[in-house]
Amino acid sequence: MTDLATGPVFTDDYWADPYGTLSRLREIAPVREVDLPDGGSTWLVTRYADVRAAFVDPRLAKDFRSTMPPEQRPAEPLIPGPAGHMLLLNDPPVHTRLRKLVVSTFTVRRVAALRPAIEQIAASLLDRAGQVGEIDLVADFAVPLPMQVICELLGVPLDDRDAFAAWSRTMIDDSPQPEKHQAQSSLTAYLSDLVTAKRDAPDEALLSALIRASEDGDALTHDEIVAMGMILLIAGHETTSNLITNSVHAILRDDVLRERVLGAESLTPIVEEFLRWTSPVANAPLRFATEDLELGGATIPRGALVTLSVAAANRDPERFDAPELHDPDRDLTGHLAFGHGIHFCLGASLARLEAEVALGALFERFPHLTSAVPLDEIVYRHSMLIHALSALPLRLAP
């Protein structure tokens, strides 16, 4: 077994069981520099208190330019093209300006109004699945459901959702850099053309609303609109699809969990506990230290990359009693599955609703579903950002 005090962290042991690795690391080296899978290094933070504090520490910036002396900072983002304008790569006041233009789309009230549409999408996907009798939960249900929802919200043609899913997967996973660049380039070009087309033929969806906002004087550039589409498409389905898949995978392993889901009057607390317990976003996107800073007993130097481990924080026994157990009766406040502070996930209420509808519809229709392959053979994606299965083949039994 790797010496986690000094050795590599992101090994086969981590991909197979991140919680075991992170638990040991949290005990012996809660803030330490680790090698990244694709080269370079980051400071990995694993204790709940440290992670929560770091989320709101202004010395940890999302934009690398903040680590430079003011006179040396370039005007344009260091990532070329629209991608550099994504919300998760910016700090106030840029982040504040961009976020306020879309936050009203994801209010609890507006999201709740989407329930009938989400239920209809789930029913249609399961109708198709029931005719086949055996499906890949990821490709046939967990990805297309939230992808269809976010495409409709944005005004993106549904015929292109498979391409979006493939581009997103390549960008999120630890893929070779040429493949990442190609996927980003393809997504950027597609959305750029779509935004241009919607200027001439607007609709009532979000991309057209952002175009109108820019024309009304909010100074939203073409690249910023494209960037907003990119982040909403990627984040709008990755978290939910991973939450659905990880939850079903856990239920297949535990008859008590299955009975809990089948007998629940409301799946709301069960889904909330799955968020803490499975942490579909394993690590928050990178931050950068704008100055030397002390965190968790370690000194992080200026300019260093910092990774906040949501998965480790959500299983910290100093914050959650018996964190390894799925317990929907516990106090469910305070988990960090959606982050904390100004970068708290815009679509949190939508992800909750989609997962609740998806799990409810799936187990109401197929309460005795089983895995079509041995559960120990299930393969997880290699990604620094998410905790997700590559596939989950199911046999559907009513």
Side-chain angles (χ1 to χ4, degrees):
M1 184 176 293
T2 300
D3 179 2
L4 289 177
T6 57
V9 169
F10 300 109
T11 64
D12 288 343
D13 287 341
Y14 175 86
W15 306 123
D17 176 23
Y19 303 108
T21 298
L22 292 170
S23 177
R24 297 193 301 274
L25 189 62
R26 190 175 52 235
E27 293 175 3
I28 62 176
V31 179
R32 64 152 285 207
E33 189 175 16
V34 301
D35 291 334
L36 288 165
D38 58 354
S41 65
T42 184
W43 288 80
L44 186 64
V45 185
T46 51
R47 285 196 303 217
Y48 178 91
D50 295 332
V51 171
R52 185 179 172 92
F55 267 122
V56 295
D57 193 325
R59 299 172 298 173
L60 292 173
K62 302 304 291 290
D63 187 341
F64 182 75
R65 289 175 295 179
S66 299
T67 67
M68 304 176 180
E71 66 276 7
Q72 296 180 11
R73 295 174 190 171
E76 291 298 313
L78 297 184
I79 297 177
H85 296 279
M86 286 193 291
L87 272 172
L88 59 76
L89 299 178
N90 282 282
D91 304 299
V94 174
H95 173 271
T96 308
R97 177 176 63 86
L98 295 175
R99 186 178 175 106
K100 76 173 185 178
L101 294 171
V102 294
V103 68
S104 62
T105 303
F106 298 99
T107 62
V108 173
R109 178 179 295 181
R110 285 198 174 185
V111 167
L114 297 173
R115 179 182 282 271
I118 298 171
E119 290 175 341
Q120 184 176 3
I121 293 169
S124 176
L125 291 170
L126 293 177
D127 285 344
R128 202 173 311 150
Q131 295 173 4
V132 178
E134 186 170 313
I135 64 167
D136 173 13
L137 180 72
V138 177
D140 299 324
F141 186 64
V143 168
L145 188 153
M147 179 64 78
Q148 186 166 334
V149 173
I150 198 64
C151 281
E152 290 183 357
L153 280 175
L154 285 170
V156 172
L158 294 181
D159 291 344
D160 299 318
R161 68 187 183 193
D162 289 341
F164 286 129
W167 292 331
S168 172
R169 184 174 183 136
T170 300
M171 291 169 66
I172 291 291
D173 287 358
D174 294 324
S175 310
Q177 284 301 320
E179 294 181 17
K180 281 182 177 287
H181 292 154
Q182 182 57 54
Q184 180 177 309
S185 176
S186 297
L187 179 56
T188 299
Y190 178 92
L191 286 172
S192 183
D193 289 345
L194 184 62
V195 169
T196 298
K198 285 185 180 291
R199 290 189 188 276
D200 297 326
D203 54 27
E204 298 305 311
L206 182 55
L207 283 180
S208 290
L210 292 175
I211 292 169
R212 286 193 296 272
S214 68
E215 293 170 347
D216 290 341
D218 272 325
L220 202 63
T221 67
H222 177 88
D223 279 359
E224 287 174 337
I225 298 172
V226 171
M228 191 68 74
M230 291 178 68
I231 189 58
L232 292 177
L233 273 171
I234 295 171
H237 82 277
E238 281 285 0
T239 299
T240 304
S241 63
N242 299 337
L243 173 59
I244 294 168
T245 308
N246 291 346
S247 299
V248 173
H249 186 232
I251 292 166
L252 291 173
R253 291 178 172 274
D254 190 334
D255 290 340
V256 173
L257 266 180
R258 187 189 295 254
E259 291 303 316
R260 185 177 290 160
V261 169
L262 293 176
E265 293 184 7
S266 169
L267 289 178
T268 299
I270 292 175
V271 167
E272 199 67 24
E273 176 67 342
F274 270 130
L275 280 163
R276 180 199 68 83
W277 195 55
T278 68
S279 290
V281 175
N283 299 302
L286 290 171
R287 284 162 165 77
F288 304 94
T290 61
E291 60 184 76
D292 294 350
L293 61 95
E294 298 290 326
L295 185 63
T299 300
I300 300 175
R302 176 179 179 171
L305 303 179
V306 179
T307 296
L308 309 183
S309 177
V310 173
N314 280 342
R315 295 247 188 146
D316 187 344
E318 292 295 317
R319 174 60 181 82
F320 300 101
D321 292 335
E324 73 284 357
L325 301 179
H326 181 281
D327 179 10
D329 295 324
R330 72 168 76 242
D331 177 5
L332 295 173
T333 60
H335 71 71
L336 301 175
F338 293 116
H340 178 57
I342 63 170
H343 288 282
F344 184 84
C345 177
L346 268 172
S349 57
L350 180 58
R352 288 179 170 114
L353 176 59
E354 289 171 333
E356 185 177 335
V357 169
L359 291 176
L362 180 65
F363 281 95
E364 181 179 1
R365 186 82 65 94
F366 306 110
H368 304 295
L369 62 85
T370 59
S371 176
V373 298
L375 289 174
D376 290 339
E377 295 180 8
I378 298 295
V379 176
Y380 279 86
R381 292 161 61 182
H382 287 199
S383 171
M384 275 291 296
L385 281 175
I386 60 172
H387 179 49
L389 282 73
S390 295
L392 184 56
L394 297 178
R395 294 191 182 97
L396 303 177

